[in-house]
Amino acid sequence: PESLFRLANLKHIHIQDNLGKDWSLPSNVQVGDDAKLERLLLTRNGFAGTIPSWLAQLNQLQTLDLSMNNFQGAIPSVI
């Protein structure tokens, strides 16, 4: 859910191997300046759609793994 990305003290999100679902990342998330998310691992989930540009607002993000999903289009240049 979108609210997961608004948890200011959350440092790691690891969601993996949820194939067979119709998943997508929310397109508009309001990321606060105090977001501490360092690792976002969303491997093998069958996510579809485009990679949202709001991921670039996660200023503390060090690791981003979106592999083995069904994203379409280019990676946003702001990431």
Side-chain angles (χ1 to χ4, degrees):
E2 182 178 326
S3 59
L4 182 65
F5 296 97
R6 283 192 243 133
L7 298 171
N9 292 314
L10 186 65
K11 290 190 172 192
H12 304 269
I13 297 175
H14 186 174
I15 301 172
Q16 181 175 329
D17 294 324
N18 290 291
L19 296 172
K21 310 270 191 240
D22 291 328
W23 298 96
S24 64
L25 291 177
S27 58
N28 285 327
V29 172
Q30 298 297 321
V31 176
D33 292 335
D34 57 349
K36 294 180 177 71
L37 191 64
E38 296 174 354
R39 298 182 75 195
L40 180 56
L41 309 172
L42 302 175
T43 308
R44 288 190 302 265
N45 288 297
F47 282 111
T50 59
I51 298 172
S53 60
W54 59 261
L55 291 173
Q57 297 172 14
L58 297 168
N59 296 326
Q60 302 298 316
L61 193 64
Q62 298 170 14
T63 305
L64 174 64
D65 187 348
L66 302 174
S67 64
M68 301 181 77
N69 285 290
N70 297 316
F71 289 111
Q72 297 175 355
I75 297 172
S77 60
V78 295
I79 294 181

